[in-house]
Amino acid sequence: MQAFRRTVAVLIFPAIAYLGAACERDTPTEARPGGMALGVSGDLTDALSTDLGQSYQVILSCTDGHSVVLSVDAATLTSLAADVEAINASDTGVSCTLDSTALDPSSQTTTWTVYDYNPSNNALAPRNAPNKMPATTMDATTTFEFLPGKFTALLTTTDRTLTGDLSTKTLTDVISVGGSATTFRTQHNGGASCSSNFPATVRFYFVSPSASGSTVGKPPAGFYTQFWWSNPEHQELNSGTQGGTIIANVGDPSEWSDWNGQRPTPDNPEVAAAFEKAIHNVQTVGLSFGGLCFFETGVTVDPSTTSDEMFSSTFSEKP
């Protein structure tokens, strides 16, 4: 996940992660072959002209393979729309779409939510209804089932006890999978060296809408610095029954990269400044599923095996 978020987990591939994953890279992300509709959803202008105090849920999808979900106010949504229009008018080869929905405060939840790619594999859809087999949480452990033919991209929460200022926090997740599958796969060649769909991986991910960059066409390009993936910290998903622990220090710039695969290093001052703001203002935190090359291309059970795989995450934060 890395062109706007394809992150290279092994720190050797300079390309952006495909769908919401950050890749370590020095050059702009390549656009993914094929495409989706360009522009901003038709009802966005009307939405912004109504209630400036309204909050919106936004699905941002780009042809570099990224699709992410965030909640924003009207001002941030306006800025995001401008970023998208600028990117679509640029010569980067990447185009994006926005789909926004006004949020009903009474319907918002802090529970952990699983997001899968929709049938077109271009955007995300939450499992937020009982018949969609949503994630279930007991104490600090959340579980969900990988669905046949579905690429799972994210497992996240907006719980205020787990978000906000995470600058001094260390994230820990005890991860396990169980079932009869022999292996897992990603999509769009998100695995090793961007030339394979294996291995699949899971890693930390967080969103901070307030941490927007300023330059379109090169990092940080507007919203690139609102999305961060742990890099290189991850766990490979290689068999139907396995487990392990991943740990990442939120305040350590060397452990993270943004949508554009950029690291918040001293020689990258704009990205570093955005990262510093992001870690103090986290809106969403959790896990991203992809590969070693693209961090959020989604993961599914290899279709040649039985799909009865359960994923378990025990997530915690410590000073």
PDB file of all heavy atoms in Angstrom, residues 280-292:
ATOM      1  N   HIS A 280      -0.153  13.463  17.822  1.00  0.00           N
ATOM      2  CA  HIS A 280      -0.830  14.120  18.937  1.00  0.00           C
ATOM      3  C   HIS A 280      -2.337  14.232  18.709  1.00  0.00           C
ATOM      4  O   HIS A 280      -3.064  14.665  19.612  1.00  0.00           O
ATOM      5  CB  HIS A 280      -0.254  15.527  19.150  1.00  0.00           C
ATOM      6  CG  HIS A 280       1.094  15.542  19.793  1.00  0.00           C
ATOM      7  ND1 HIS A 280       2.262  15.433  19.061  1.00  0.00           N
ATOM      8  CD2 HIS A 280       1.472  15.623  21.091  1.00  0.00           C
ATOM      9  CE1 HIS A 280       3.296  15.481  19.884  1.00  0.00           C
ATOM     10  NE2 HIS A 280       2.849  15.587  21.118  1.00  0.00           N
ATOM     11  N   ASN A 281      -2.796  13.858  17.512  1.00  0.00           N
ATOM     12  CA  ASN A 281      -4.207  14.059  17.163  1.00  0.00           C
ATOM     13  C   ASN A 281      -4.761  12.870  16.386  1.00  0.00           C
ATOM     14  O   ASN A 281      -5.322  13.010  15.297  1.00  0.00           O
ATOM     15  CB  ASN A 281      -4.375  15.333  16.337  1.00  0.00           C
ATOM     16  CG  ASN A 281      -3.930  16.572  17.073  1.00  0.00           C
ATOM     17  OD1 ASN A 281      -4.683  17.156  17.846  1.00  0.00           O
ATOM     18  ND2 ASN A 281      -2.697  17.006  16.821  1.00  0.00           N
ATOM     19  N   VAL A 282      -4.621  11.668  16.944  1.00  0.00           N
ATOM     20  CA  VAL A 282      -5.055  10.457  16.255  1.00  0.00           C
ATOM     21  C   VAL A 282      -6.577  10.307  16.363  1.00  0.00           C
ATOM     22  O   VAL A 282      -7.142  10.356  17.450  1.00  0.00           O
ATOM     23  CB  VAL A 282      -4.358   9.224  16.839  1.00  0.00           C
ATOM     24  CG1 VAL A 282      -4.904   7.943  16.213  1.00  0.00           C
ATOM     25  CG2 VAL A 282      -2.847   9.325  16.629  1.00  0.00           C
ATOM     26  N   GLN A 283      -7.222  10.114  15.219  1.00  0.00           N
ATOM     27  CA  GLN A 283      -8.674   9.917  15.197  1.00  0.00           C
ATOM     28  C   GLN A 283      -9.046   8.437  15.171  1.00  0.00           C
ATOM     29  O   GLN A 283     -10.009   8.005  15.808  1.00  0.00           O
ATOM     30  CB  GLN A 283      -9.269  10.584  13.954  1.00  0.00           C
ATOM     31  CG  GLN A 283     -10.761  10.411  13.801  1.00  0.00           C
ATOM     32  CD  GLN A 283     -11.251  10.836  12.435  1.00  0.00           C
ATOM     33  OE1 GLN A 283     -11.210  10.078  11.476  1.00  0.00           O
ATOM     34  NE2 GLN A 283     -11.702  12.077  12.340  1.00  0.00           N
ATOM     35  N   THR A 284      -8.276   7.648  14.417  1.00  0.00           N
ATOM     36  CA  THR A 284      -8.555   6.235  14.214  1.00  0.00           C
ATOM     37  C   THR A 284      -7.262   5.447  14.362  1.00  0.00           C
ATOM     38  O   THR A 284      -6.210   5.883  13.887  1.00  0.00           O
ATOM     39  CB  THR A 284      -9.131   5.990  12.810  1.00  0.00           C
ATOM     40  OG1 THR A 284     -10.322   6.773  12.645  1.00  0.00           O
ATOM     41  CG2 THR A 284      -9.450   4.521  12.583  1.00  0.00           C
ATOM     42  N   VAL A 285      -7.341   4.290  15.003  1.00  0.00           N
ATOM     43  CA  VAL A 285      -6.155   3.460  15.161  1.00  0.00           C
ATOM     44  C   VAL A 285      -6.557   2.000  14.997  1.00  0.00           C
ATOM     45  O   VAL A 285      -7.715   1.638  15.237  1.00  0.00           O
ATOM     46  CB  VAL A 285      -5.490   3.691  16.544  1.00  0.00           C
ATOM     47  CG1 VAL A 285      -6.376   3.178  17.676  1.00  0.00           C
ATOM     48  CG2 VAL A 285      -4.097   3.075  16.625  1.00  0.00           C
ATOM     49  N   GLY A 286      -5.609   1.177  14.581  1.00  0.00           N
ATOM     50  CA  GLY A 286      -5.910  -0.242  14.434  1.00  0.00           C
ATOM     51  C   GLY A 286      -4.913  -0.955  13.559  1.00  0.00           C
ATOM     52  O   GLY A 286      -3.708  -0.679  13.626  1.00  0.00           O
ATOM     53  N   LEU A 287      -5.432  -1.855  12.728  1.00  0.00           N
ATOM     54  CA  LEU A 287      -4.598  -2.711  11.896  1.00  0.00           C
ATOM     55  C   LEU A 287      -4.949  -2.559  10.423  1.00  0.00           C
ATOM     56  O   LEU A 287      -6.100  -2.324  10.062  1.00  0.00           O
ATOM     57  CB  LEU A 287      -4.788  -4.173  12.301  1.00  0.00           C
ATOM     58  CG  LEU A 287      -4.427  -4.546  13.737  1.00  0.00           C
ATOM     59  CD1 LEU A 287      -4.835  -5.994  14.016  1.00  0.00           C
ATOM     60  CD2 LEU A 287      -2.932  -4.343  14.015  1.00  0.00           C
ATOM     61  N   SER A 288      -3.930  -2.722   9.585  1.00  0.00           N
ATOM     62  CA  SER A 288      -4.092  -2.682   8.132  1.00  0.00           C
ATOM     63  C   SER A 288      -3.586  -3.996   7.552  1.00  0.00           C
ATOM     64  O   SER A 288      -2.565  -4.530   7.991  1.00  0.00           O
ATOM     65  CB  SER A 288      -3.291  -1.515   7.553  1.00  0.00           C
ATOM     66  OG  SER A 288      -3.354  -1.490   6.143  1.00  0.00           O
ATOM     67  N   PHE A 289      -4.290  -4.497   6.539  1.00  0.00           N
ATOM     68  CA  PHE A 289      -3.961  -5.782   5.929  1.00  0.00           C
ATOM     69  C   PHE A 289      -3.501  -5.570   4.490  1.00  0.00           C
ATOM     70  O   PHE A 289      -4.181  -4.923   3.692  1.00  0.00           O
ATOM     71  CB  PHE A 289      -5.185  -6.703   5.943  1.00  0.00           C
ATOM     72  CG  PHE A 289      -5.652  -7.064   7.323  1.00  0.00           C
ATOM     73  CD1 PHE A 289      -6.455  -6.185   8.049  1.00  0.00           C
ATOM     74  CD2 PHE A 289      -5.278  -8.263   7.913  1.00  0.00           C
ATOM     75  CE1 PHE A 289      -6.882  -6.499   9.332  1.00  0.00           C
ATOM     76  CE2 PHE A 289      -5.701  -8.590   9.197  1.00  0.00           C
ATOM     77  CZ  PHE A 289      -6.507  -7.700   9.905  1.00  0.00           C
ATOM     78  N   GLY A 290      -2.341  -6.120   4.166  1.00  0.00           N
ATOM     79  CA  GLY A 290      -1.801  -5.993   2.815  1.00  0.00           C
ATOM     80  C   GLY A 290      -0.623  -6.919   2.651  1.00  0.00           C
ATOM     81  O   GLY A 290      -0.692  -8.096   3.009  1.00  0.00           O
ATOM     82  N   GLY A 291       0.487  -6.366   2.120  1.00  0.00           N
ATOM     83  CA  GLY A 291       1.656  -7.194   1.884  1.00  0.00           C
ATOM     84  C   GLY A 291       2.923  -6.517   2.350  1.00  0.00           C
ATOM     85  O   GLY A 291       2.898  -5.562   3.119  1.00  0.00           O
ATOM     86  N   LEU A 292       4.044  -6.993   1.853  1.00  0.00           N
ATOM     87  CA  LEU A 292       5.339  -6.399   2.168  1.00  0.00           C
ATOM     88  C   LEU A 292       5.614  -5.180   1.313  1.00  0.00           C
ATOM     89  O   LEU A 292       6.449  -4.342   1.661  1.00  0.00           O
ATOM     90  CB  LEU A 292       6.456  -7.428   1.949  1.00  0.00           C
ATOM     91  CG  LEU A 292       6.504  -8.605   2.918  1.00  0.00           C
ATOM     92  CD1 LEU A 292       7.562  -9.603   2.463  1.00  0.00           C
ATOM     93  CD2 LEU A 292       6.789  -8.123   4.333  1.00  0.00           C
TER      94      LEU A 292
END
